[in-house]
Amino acid sequence: MDVQSIENGIRNASIDDNDEDDFLQVLKKGTKAATSNITKDQLERLITYSEKSSTAKNLLELLINDTDSFLMGLYVLGDVKGVVLFNALLINKSGKELMLNLLSTIRIRLKNDFIDKSKLDYQLEKYLISIYLNVISRFSISNPQHLQVFLALINPIHFADHDTTIYKEISRIVLLIVIKYLTIDKDTSTEIIQDFLEIIYEETTLTTSQFINLIDVLELLFPVIPEVISSIYVHDQIKTHIMVEISKLFNKGDEYALSLPINRLKIIHLLKLINSSCITEGCRTFNASHYVSLLKLGMEFGSDKEIQILSVLDLIKLWNFIQLENQKVDDSKLNIKTEDLTFILTSYLRTEYKGDRNSIIEHCIEGLAYLTLNVSVKENFRSDETIIENLISLLELNTQSKPSETFQNEGFNSSLAYGLLLIFTNLTKLTDPNMKNNDKSTLKFLKEYSNAGTRQSNVSEDQASIKLFNKALLFDHKIVSNISKLKIANIESESGAKSKMNNLIPLTINIILMIATTSEKKVKEELVKQGALNLILNCLVKYSTVIKGTVNETRPVNESPEIIETRVEAIRALAKILISVNPMLAFDKYDVKTCVPFLVELLGPDISKYSESSTLSPSVGQYPYLLEMSLIDKYEGLLALTNVSSITTNSDIRNHIIASTFDQHLNNLLLDGDNPHVQRGTWELLSNLILEPRLLAKFFNIDDGGETSNENLNRLKILIKLLNSEDLSLQVTIGGLLANSTEHEVISNILVANETIRSDLFRTICIISEEQPQDDELILRIGFVLLNLVYAARENPTFHNWIMQSDYVKRSVTSIIRENKSQEILDVFIEIARVGGGAK
């Protein structure tokens, strides 16, 4: 198809003649076309034009005829996302050859512009590499050889006359391209990266541009392929180049030669590389051996805050290795103290963070996140109201979508938010031994650096003071409300994979859990007011799946340890909150029923799925975390379910709880005499649920003589036996269960009709009446049970005569009337005597 045919095709489309001429000229000639009369409305019409299969073919032909002009034309038209391009490619199912040509065209354009900087348009550069990333991501087309051009772009000198924002954006996109290529073809891509770096560092001397490109590429790729980059970083030639540059930057011994901006740029980017390299133990050891003197000088250079803060951050990360005896570092000469490191960072935080246009505050907060692993630092922070207010202020400012007048960072900064939440996680952390897995950290980047903190692990922190701090953080500083404004549930993980959790969620859940670890009801209510319940359920809903064939049984969306651990903490926090708050008032975004399957997880694995060989069935074996649920987990899960079941207006919730818990958990836990709290919690839940017919049948359907009725009869016998337990609280709970259930006349009739049950029950009531006449709560419940039975027996002369003649009843009524002083209880037992006619 020739150009004339294309022009005819476009003229037959819905775009009018004037528009058509402009668009055609732009797409054919790229940046050379006249564009003064191009409008947003016309671009939208062109996008519509590209969405139709018949006309998209015309655009595809223009792309094939002159790919570079077509790309430049779209950029001029304002289609910076390449919508028209991808519509044409997708509708026409373009082949691999065209895709590779498209990628090569972008590579050539970038390379030529990079060589001839007079032609540079940084927004155009960003546009081109964004298009490149989208092509390889959408179509899985790749040419790893192109990586060399993209890595050459990682050089701030290339953007020296412009705002660093565009350099950060381009570096981020290049990093995503590298990650994509490593995913598609790791071996080839790794080899090309190594070759690119080797070509640079094998030079005898490096230009300033080469040196900065080298250290920036190393810094960028350390988190992606640390095993590859770390071996390059410690190479003798790399070290030689760095030491040469360091020697140039010394002036008369201990001062940096900062008269030229380029020298400052070298220092800052070298400090950032050292920071990034600390991701591996080998590199930390290497840094401690070779670069500590540089960092010490930087720490003392207070006239340049960015250099000082970065140096302090690097020293903090190397702290443990500087301390080790087998390192060739004379710590006594360096005289580095935790107090000095802390003072520099907190001084900046107190007075100078406002108006920070760079990433200094981000580095400052990262350093403080490490330091707050230290017990003494944590204690000082908790008592320093100015520090806490400034940290909260930073958190508040970071929730804004645009930079504020006092805080010039670019709106939401996930790295800054992470550092702030990490500090609050450290400050709110409790060491309650009953909180299973409380010492497990999801903070991967701290795991290898926490020796300084663990050396003090035997130092006991005052748990009561931490709880007071947590309470103040909630009420005075609205910590959860501020976190809610971050809208962390909408932030994808750094990898972009939905199956992975963004790193702000574990911190948020941990902070809520620590605050919720208190017995104060008003704290739980305030958590709900500030949105904690929604944050918890957002996390659980997003990272959970429902197991098919179950009663809405929930499990983690995948087997990621981080997701599993965070979900467990979220469920624990959910239970702690729901134990205390009114469930009818607590839920606004979610239905209260949503929380039930999550709370059930705290009860452990479904015991009905154990095989005869005492191993778990495959469906349970995938979730070993359920086996790790502690007694505290089970007890608090039961209490939370009990509170949720107290909603008397919602029978669906109670039936859902029964269906989800009885056969799977409660039937076993009600016998667990070794764990009295769990056993009592089980019976309290059953007492709340007992008025539901499906649960009544589990205890009182004992008449048909089948296997099920025998199981029910056994449960009923256990219930009556536990009524005389040595645990008064358990007695009261079971007494309440019997009192509630015998309000149904049919249940009372079953109890008096079965001779064995009747004798056991009345004998137990008699024993309690004689031995515990002053236990008012229990006696009142026993009284109501006896009264309900007496009323039921009146309708059957045989049973009524038995009760009238029963020594158990006479003794029970007589004992209570003689011994108990409560008028309410006396009224009940006098009524029993009147109706039954059996006591004097």
Side-chain angles (χ1 to χ4, degrees):
M1 181 180 290
D2 57 23
V3 174
Q4 184 61 48
S5 299
I6 298 170
E7 293 178 3
N8 291 336
I10 294 179
R11 286 191 175 90
N12 292 329
S14 60
I15 299 175
D16 64 40
D17 290 342
N18 291 333
D19 288 341
E20 167 232 312
D21 290 338
D22 285 329
F23 284 130
L24 195 56
Q25 289 301 312
V26 172
L27 293 176
K28 286 170 59 180
K29 299 181 180 180
T31 55
K32 299 176 183 178
T35 59
S36 58
N37 58 344
I38 299 298
T39 66
K40 181 179 179 181
D41 176 64
Q42 290 170 322
L43 173 59
E44 291 175 352
R45 294 170 67 187
L46 178 59
I47 290 173
T48 301
Y49 180 84
S50 71
E51 292 170 344
K52 299 176 182 178
S53 178
S54 57
T55 49
K57 291 179 180 179
N58 299 326
L59 297 176
L60 187 65
E61 288 295 333
L62 286 176
L63 173 65
I64 294 170
N65 285 342
D66 191 341
T67 304
D68 185 72
S69 293
F70 190 89
L71 288 171
M72 296 305 101
L74 289 182
Y75 176 70
V76 170
L77 290 169
D79 186 15
V80 293
K81 294 183 179 180
V83 176
V84 172
L85 170 66
F86 288 106
N87 284 344
L89 293 173
L90 290 167
I91 288 175
N92 292 281
K93 298 180 180 179
S94 303
K96 181 177 180 180
E97 184 177 349
L98 174 59
M99 298 294 184
L100 290 173
N101 179 63
L102 178 59
L103 297 182
S104 294
T105 300
I106 294 174
R107 183 193 69 84
I108 292 170
R109 163 70 70 161
L110 289 170
K111 184 177 180 179
N112 291 339
D113 286 354
F114 187 76
I115 294 172
D116 185 359
K117 293 183 174 58
S118 63
K119 298 180 180 179
L120 274 179
D121 176 339
Y122 296 104
Q123 292 299 333
L124 172 59
E125 198 166 89
K126 177 184 172 184
Y127 157 75
L128 289 172
I129 62 174
S130 297
I131 294 295
Y132 191 100
L133 174 62
N134 284 333
V135 170
I136 64 174
S137 298
R138 291 191 187 192
F139 303 105
S140 295
I141 300 294
S142 65
N143 188 341
Q145 296 296 331
H146 293 175
L147 281 174
Q148 298 208 27
V149 170
F150 291 109
L151 293 176
L153 296 176
I154 306 304
N155 191 338
I157 295 178
H158 185 46
F159 304 85
D161 298 329
H162 296 264
D163 194 302
T164 57
T165 300
I166 187 67
Y167 177 57
K168 290 179 181 178
E169 291 176 350
I170 287 177
S171 296
R172 182 184 62 82
I173 301 170
V174 169
L175 179 60
L176 294 174
I177 290 172
V178 173
I179 292 171
K180 187 64 181 177
Y181 270 134
L182 288 169
T183 303
I184 296 172
D185 187 349
K186 184 172 183 178
D187 290 341
T188 304
S189 299
T190 300
E191 184 179 347
I192 290 167
I193 292 170
Q194 290 173 315
D195 289 345
F196 175 84
L197 293 169
E198 188 176 325
I199 289 171
I200 299 176
Y201 72 68
E202 285 190 343
E203 294 283 342
T204 305
T205 58
L206 298 181
T207 66
T208 296
S209 181
Q210 285 176 316
F211 177 75
I212 292 182
N213 180 223
L214 174 66
I215 61 177
D216 269 30
V217 170
L218 289 172
E219 179 202 349
L220 184 75
L221 299 185
F222 247 116
V224 181
I225 43 174
E227 70 283 357
V228 174
I229 301 301
S230 58
S231 63
I232 297 174
Y233 175 69
V234 299
H235 195 283
D236 283 343
Q237 287 176 277
I238 297 281
K239 186 189 72 173
T240 299
H241 287 305
I242 291 176
M243 296 306 293
V244 167
E245 291 296 334
I246 289 175
S247 66
K248 293 178 182 177
L249 299 172
F250 287 133
N251 181 21
K252 295 180 181 179
D254 293 332
E255 294 291 335
Y256 290 114
L258 290 177
S259 58
L260 295 174
I262 195 65
N263 287 348
R264 182 178 181 275
L265 188 67
K266 289 179 183 179
I267 296 169
I268 288 174
H269 284 265
L270 179 56
L271 291 172
K272 287 182 178 180
L273 171 59
I274 294 172
N275 177 31
S276 181
S277 70
C278 287
I279 196 171
T280 70
E281 182 175 345
C283 290
R284 291 197 297 276
T285 304
F286 180 82
N287 291 334
S289 298
H290 296 96
Y291 302 136
V292 171
S293 296
L294 168 67
L295 301 179
K296 183 65 166 55
L297 277 171
M299 172 185 169
E300 295 172 351
F301 203 84
S303 60
D304 192 308
K305 288 301 177 183
E306 186 167 11
I307 290 175
Q308 185 183 42
I309 298 296
L310 271 170
S311 299
V312 169
L313 174 59
D314 291 350
L315 284 170
I316 291 170
K317 289 190 174 184
L318 299 179
W319 182 252
N320 301 327
F321 295 88
I322 295 172
Q323 301 289 313
L324 297 179
E325 293 180 356
N326 63 347
Q327 295 300 321
K328 298 177 181 179
V329 178
D330 190 344
D331 187 38
S332 62
K333 291 183 180 179
L334 293 173
N335 193 28
I336 299 171
K337 298 178 181 179
T338 307
E339 293 81 1
D340 297 335
L341 300 170
T342 307
F343 177 78
I344 291 171
L345 297 185
T346 53
S347 295
Y348 184 79
L349 177 65
R350 289 177 194 279
T351 60
E352 300 185 49
Y353 75 88
K354 292 184 178 180
D356 180 355
R357 294 176 179 273
N358 300 303
S359 54
I360 306 176
I361 190 62
E362 187 179 322
H363 300 312
C364 176
I365 293 302
E366 184 182 358
L368 291 174
Y370 286 99
L371 288 173
T372 49
L373 288 168
N374 182 290
V375 172
S376 61
V377 173
K378 283 193 282 188
E379 290 175 345
N380 290 335
F381 268 44
R382 293 188 190 112
S383 60
D384 193 323
E385 189 65 16
T386 301
I387 286 179
I388 299 304
E389 286 179 354
N390 286 351
L391 291 172
I392 290 291
S393 177
L394 278 171
L395 193 61
E396 290 175 340
L397 292 168
N398 199 35
T399 64
Q400 300 177 11
S401 59
K402 297 180 179 179
S404 69
E405 293 180 0
T406 58
F407 185 69
Q408 297 298 326
N409 259 325
E410 303 134 21
F412 180 77
N413 181 328
S414 61
S415 297
L416 180 62
Y418 181 73
L420 290 166
L421 293 184
L422 186 49
I423 292 171
F424 286 119
T425 297
N426 293 338
L427 296 179
T428 57
K429 188 176 182 62
L430 291 158
T431 55
D432 184 349
N434 291 321
M435 288 185 60
K436 188 175 179 66
N437 295 332
N438 188 39
D439 61 341
K440 286 186 178 179
S441 174
T442 60
L443 317 176
K444 292 183 179 179
F445 86 98
L446 284 179
K447 281 184 176 180
E448 295 181 346
Y449 310 141
S450 60
N451 291 338
T454 55
R455 283 201 298 271
Q456 304 182 62
S457 61
N458 294 326
V459 178
S460 171
E461 290 190 83
D462 183 351
Q463 301 299 293
S465 67
I466 297 175
K467 288 183 179 181
L468 284 175
F469 169 78
N470 292 352
K471 183 178 176 181
L473 199 59
L474 179 69
F475 283 94
D476 299 341
H477 298 290
K478 309 297 181 185
I479 178 69
V480 175
S481 179
N482 279 302
I483 294 175
S484 296
K485 294 174 185 176
L486 294 176
K487 302 186 185 304
I488 61 172
N490 299 329
I491 303 171
E492 293 297 338
S493 66
E494 291 184 4
S495 68
K498 293 185 178 180
S499 60
K500 293 185 178 180
M501 182 177 285
N502 87 64
N503 58 12
L504 301 182
I505 292 178
L507 300 177
T508 297
I509 295 301
N510 192 264
I511 291 169
I512 293 173
L513 176 61
M514 294 301 105
I515 295 175
T517 305
T518 176
S519 57
E520 292 189 56
K521 182 178 180 180
K522 65 179 181 180
V523 171
K524 315 288 182 67
E525 291 174 338
E526 183 64 22
L527 280 169
V528 173
K529 288 179 184 177
Q530 292 189 28
L533 204 56
N534 288 337
L535 286 170
I536 290 168
L537 288 172
N538 285 343
C539 168
L540 290 173
V541 169
K542 185 171 184 177
Y543 297 105
S544 300
T545 186
V546 176
I547 303 298
K548 293 181 180 179
T550 65
V551 186
N552 292 331
E553 193 174 347
T554 50
R555 292 292 181 266
V557 70
N558 61 40
E559 297 180 13
S560 160
E562 185 176 39
I563 287 179
I564 291 172
E565 183 179 337
T566 302
R567 283 184 77 261
V568 170
E569 288 200 342
I571 296 171
R572 286 176 177 146
L574 178 67
K576 290 178 186 297
I577 292 172
L578 289 180
I579 286 170
S580 303
V581 302
N582 184 341
M584 294 185 68
L585 303 177
F587 292 83
D588 52 7
K589 179 178 178 180
Y590 292 94
D591 189 296
V592 63
K593 196 175 179 180
T594 306
C595 71
V596 172
F598 301 120
L599 294 174
V600 172
E601 288 187 51
L602 290 178
L603 304 183
D606 181 350
I607 62 166
S608 67
K609 293 181 179 177
Y610 277 92
S611 68
E612 293 180 358
S613 60
S614 298
T615 59
L616 286 172
S617 70
S619 63
V620 180
Q622 295 173 12
Y623 312 105
Y625 74 96
L626 293 172
L627 294 168
E628 299 177 7
M629 294 301 180
S630 68
L631 295 178
I632 290 290
D633 291 328
K634 293 178 181 179
Y635 181 59
E636 293 189 339
L638 290 166
L639 293 184
L641 287 167
T642 299
N643 193 31
V644 170
S645 69
S646 67
I647 302 178
T648 57
T649 58
N650 198 328
S651 182
D652 284 347
I653 290 178
R654 292 193 295 278
N655 279 307
H656 182 57
I657 293 173
I658 294 168
S660 303
T661 62
F662 188 84
D663 292 329
Q664 300 91 330
H665 305 283
L666 303 186
N667 191 39
N668 181 57
L669 296 178
L670 59 84
L671 298 171
D672 197 354
D674 292 335
N675 303 305
H677 291 293
V678 173
Q679 186 182 39
R680 186 171 65 251
T682 302
W683 284 104
E684 287 173 355
L685 175 57
L686 291 171
S687 181
N688 258 26
L689 300 170
I690 195 63
L691 292 180
E692 295 301 326
R694 69 187 303 164
L695 185 59
L696 284 170
K698 299 287 187 181
F699 289 91
F700 301 106
N701 183 15
I702 59 176
D703 293 334
D704 64 11
E707 182 178 348
T708 300
S709 65
N710 288 335
E711 292 175 359
N712 298 341
L713 180 60
N714 288 335
R715 276 192 286 267
L716 184 54
K717 288 179 178 179
I718 292 167
L719 184 153
I720 294 171
K721 182 178 180 179
L722 291 176
L723 183 61
N724 196 28
S725 167
E726 294 180 0
D727 181 345
L728 177 59
S729 297
L730 180 57
Q731 286 182 287
V732 171
T733 298
I734 292 180
L737 185 153
L738 280 169
N740 289 336
S741 56
T742 53
E743 288 181 3
H744 291 274
E745 187 174 345
V746 64
I747 302 301
S748 293
N749 286 332
I750 289 171
L751 293 176
V752 296
N754 185 291
E755 183 177 354
T756 301
I757 294 298
R758 182 177 67 226
S759 297
D760 289 347
L761 179 57
F762 279 88
R763 181 171 61 252
T764 301
I765 290 173
C766 179
I767 293 171
I768 292 172
S769 301
E770 292 178 340
E771 296 181 357
Q772 301 173 260
Q774 300 303 323
D775 291 334
D776 287 359
E777 255 194 298
L778 174 60
I779 295 301
L780 182 60
R781 285 162 174 76
I782 292 300
F784 281 123
V785 173
L786 195 53
L787 182 60
N788 290 337
L789 295 176
V790 169
Y791 271 121
R794 270 195 320 184
E795 306 301 321
N796 188 311
T798 301
F799 300 147
H800 188 253
N801 291 337
W802 183 92
I803 289 176
M804 288 179 62
Q805 297 169 11
S806 170
D807 185 53
Y808 295 138
V809 177
K810 293 176 183 179
R811 286 162 55 190
S812 297
V813 175
T814 302
S815 294
I816 297 305
I817 291 176
R818 286 177 180 173
E819 300 292 333
N820 198 282
K821 306 301 182 183
S822 167
Q823 189 59 51
E824 183 180 14
I825 291 173
L826 290 174
D827 289 344
V828 172
F829 276 84
I830 290 171
E831 178 67 6
I832 293 169
R834 186 189 67 78
V835 176
K840 303 292 184 184

